[in-house]
Amino acid sequence: MKAKTVDKIATSVIVVLALFIVIILLGLLGFIMYRGIGHISWNFLTSAPQLLKGGGGIGPQLFNSIFLLVLTLIVTIPLGWGGGIYMAEYAKPGKITSFIRLVVEVLSSFPSIVIGLFGLLLLVNQFGLGFSLISGALALAIFNLPLMVRTTEQAFRAVPKEQKEAGLALGLSKWKIITSILLPVALPSLITGTILASGRIFGEAAALMFTAGMSSPPLDFTDWNPTSPRSPLNPFRPAETLAVHIWKVNSEGIGPDSKEVAAGASAVLVILVLAFNLSARWIGRVVFRRMTASK
Amino acid sequence: MNNKLKPRRPLKEKHYWEEWTGRIYTSICVVFLIVVMFSIVYFVASKGLSTFFQNGISISEFLGGKTWNPTGEPAFYGALPFITGSFITTLLAALIASPLGLCAALFMTEIVPGKGKKILQPAIELLSGIPSVVYGFIGLSVIVPLLRSIFGGTGVGIAAGCLVLAVMILPTVTSIMADALSALPKGLRESSYALGATRWQTIYRVIIPTTLPALLTGVVLGMARAFGEALAVQMVIGNAPHVPTSLLESASTLTSVITLSMGNTTMGSVHNNALWSMALVLLVMTFVFVILVRLLERRNRV
């Protein structure tokens, strides 16, 4: 009898605490939307921020975030997928492979601020890239690579063995099998993994403060020549992203509406990250249907 | 298709080259990862160690000194306030997040396996997707005012910092614990029930002891994340350079000091080098966490 009472109490405690987490999440999302969504307008999304006056927007920051994401993916996709393919298809169990695994594990546990500092030292100062989009993209690539390698390896390992054996039976080379048989099958999971990683890149700030910089030059959105300093496409200009902007506005914002700007920008950021997560699942499913004959 | 065989090139040679492009390309990617990891360690260590070897500050002064006043005359470079700040916030965050995470994981795997997963899994994934600056913003506009109205004072400090961190690491802790619990062989659970044990007895006496190393892995990974988190903590902790004596007192962590001061010091100055030494402490702690995880995994396999 007594054991049953204890069991009941314990069960209800577990249930209450588990539901507490759901409540935390709903509270967080509700709070962000409640505080921020009223402040989002077309003007807020497109205009430049104001330092002292109110009424500033997040236009350049939003653009920088998206552009930086594109640059980062250009660097990470070939390297990350390549590394993952090596781990799944070429690596033989042994000392070297377990060493590489350790490297990936260590690299993925480095705090993002340490990677930002490394970027500051090597990319910004040593290589002379300065506070620029390209430094930021390279730092984010380092931050993102281990995750990418891991998801790619999992995606390739999940491909049924028969597919590979069929290719070998036809006398194809290993690389041919990888690119024309395994890659299409693994592609849906690769895309899902990449989009999920994009969400992470989008919200990252600590690694960017010291690499992409904390300011954005006045941008001229009519100038699409990538070499001119005011062009938004110039990869060698400093670029403050949305996440860095939220941090800056919160910790040193002096404008009269800095709280509202922070709230609005947070809501935009969270909405975009959620959109990444949902679209990752959706696109993964659609591509899977296209690539395989299943309905 | 496009890649027709050229008439004069034998099949074997083409295969040979194809084989090697793949092998070389993917190997380059992996070598790049290794080079990056070692250069991070090398650069941060060489900068961080120059505080001790070039500027002549003793390691004991840096690690044990309670005064941080790099601009004063004489200057003091004691990082103990920040080291204690980092450890206290990390430990407290883990202390709050681990039981919550364990309950969530148990809820998903033991109590209502099907439905629980449907409710909690998306919640956990969404929580892990929220960027850290947004957590900082929420901390600043909800937790800090709340603490202020309950306990008085400014509201910023260790308590606010570890609450924010606890929510941030909750997804990490929960998902690893849930994986560990669902990987448990079914037979163990069923034999316990067959002996007439209640669900709680099964959880408490059978499930938790057998999965303990894996559960602890979740806690350690959560702590690793909390230890390295910079911006969210920096926004709510108050950033005062002294050893905290109460939870509501303003304090600093290693990451928050680096975030705030790195941009304002000139490269190569003693102050700047001391900040790099703090980054080195972060780096060393990362290795400690990785080693801990490896040790726990080894115990798990036995």
Side-chain angles (χ1 to χ4, degrees), chain B residues 202-220:
Chain B
T202 311
I203 291 173
Y204 182 67
R205 296 282 171 88
V206 178
I207 294 174
I208 292 184
T210 35
T211 51
L212 194 62
L215 296 178
L216 286 177
T217 308
V219 178
V220 171

Side-chain angles (χ1 to χ4, degrees), chain A residues 8-232:
Chain A
K8 266 183 192 155
I9 295 169
T11 306
S12 39
V13 167
I14 291 172
V15 171
V16 166
L17 286 182
L19 293 180
F20 182 60
I21 292 177
V22 180
I23 293 168
I24 291 178
L25 174 81
L26 292 179
L28 284 179
L29 287 181
F31 176 78
I32 296 166
M33 296 306 154
Y34 168 74
R35 281 286 302 273
I37 225 152
H39 201 70
I40 301 174
S41 63
W42 183 245
N43 185 41
F44 179 69
L45 290 179
T46 51
S47 65
Q50 298 286 344
L51 251 187
L52 300 168
K53 289 184 292 174
I58 51 165
Q61 282 73 24
L62 197 56
F63 177 82
N64 286 342
S65 285
I66 295 168
F67 191 32
L68 197 63
L69 176 64
V70 173
L71 285 178
T72 309
L73 288 182
I74 291 175
V75 182
T76 1
I77 288 178
L79 282 172
W81 289 10
I85 290 172
Y86 180 89
M87 294 307 284
E89 301 300 325
Y90 290 104
K92 293 185 189 76
K95 273 201 175 136
I96 296 173
T97 306
S98 61
F99 171 71
I100 299 171
R101 247 174 242 294
L102 180 68
V103 166
V104 173
E105 194 181 332
V106 168
L107 211 49
S108 68
S109 355
F110 278 152
S112 60
I113 189 169
V114 167
I115 290 173
L117 290 174
F118 168 71
L120 173 72
L121 206 56
L122 191 74
L123 304 168
V124 176
N125 293 335
Q126 210 98 334
F127 292 171
L129 295 170
F131 290 118
S132 64
L133 277 164
I134 199 90
S135 311
L138 291 173
L140 280 187
I142 298 172
F143 171 74
N144 197 28
L145 265 178
L147 186 81
M148 206 75 142
V149 168
R150 219 178 279 170
T151 49
T152 308
E153 187 189 344
Q154 279 166 4
F156 270 82
R157 281 194 192 281
V159 178
K161 245 190 177 161
E162 289 77 15
Q163 306 244 19
K164 202 158 80 180
E165 281 161 3
L168 283 170
L170 287 173
L172 297 176
S173 73
K174 202 163 191 177
W175 185 239
K176 187 82 190 158
I177 294 172
I178 289 170
T179 49
S180 50
I181 299 179
L182 302 184
L183 188 65
V185 182
L187 201 60
S189 341
L190 285 184
I191 292 177
T192 313
T194 308
I195 301 176
L196 285 177
S198 306
R200 236 164 64 106
I201 298 174
F202 216 76
E204 176 52 37
L208 287 176
M209 291 171 57
F210 304 118
T211 50
M214 286 193 261
S215 64
S216 205
L219 296 179
D220 180 4
F221 277 92
T222 53
D223 184 358
W224 294 103
N225 173 12
T227 52
S228 88
R230 288 190 55 183
S231 164

Side-chain angles (χ1 to χ4, degrees), chain B residues 112-146:
Chain B
V112 265
K115 254 189 197 161
K117 210 157 196 170
K118 254 184 201 154
I119 305 170
L120 272 178
Q121 191 80 23
I124 303 289
E125 277 171 23
L126 287 178
L127 272 181
S128 72
I130 296 177
S132 64
V133 280
V134 176
Y135 278 112
F137 162 71
I138 291 166
L140 209 55
S141 38
V142 180
I143 294 177
V144 169
L146 195 72

Side-chain angles (χ1 to χ4, degrees), chain A residues 7 78 105 171 173 176 247, chain B residues 3 15 18 25 200 234 294:
Chain A
D7 179 53
E105 194 181 332
S173 73
K176 187 82 190 158
W247 177 77
Chain B
N3 43 7
H15 265 194
E18 250 177 23
Y25 165 61
W200 173 243
Q234 186 273 326
R294 292 244 149 176

Side-chain angles (χ1 to χ4, degrees), chain A residues 190-287:
Chain A
L190 285 184
I191 292 177
T192 313
T194 308
I195 301 176
L196 285 177
S198 306
R200 236 164 64 106
I201 298 174
F202 216 76
E204 176 52 37
L208 287 176
M209 291 171 57
F210 304 118
T211 50
M214 286 193 261
S215 64
S216 205
L219 296 179
D220 180 4
F221 277 92
T222 53
D223 184 358
W224 294 103
N225 173 12
T227 52
S228 88
R230 288 190 55 183
S231 164
L233 286 185
N234 185 353
F236 295 101
R237 66 181 173 86
E240 182 194 38
T241 62
L242 199 53
V244 175
H245 188 61
I246 294 172
W247 177 77
K248 213 173 81 177
V249 168
N250 264 318
S251 41
E252 49 194 57
I254 37 176
D257 61 346
S258 60
K259 284 246 156 181
E260 281 75 33
V261 171
S266 300
V268 172
L269 190 59
V270 169
I271 290 171
L272 284 171
V273 171
L274 291 188
F276 275 120
N277 283 16
L278 293 178
S279 65
R281 268 156 249 282
W282 183 73
I283 294 176
R285 239 188 346 245
V286 170
V287 175

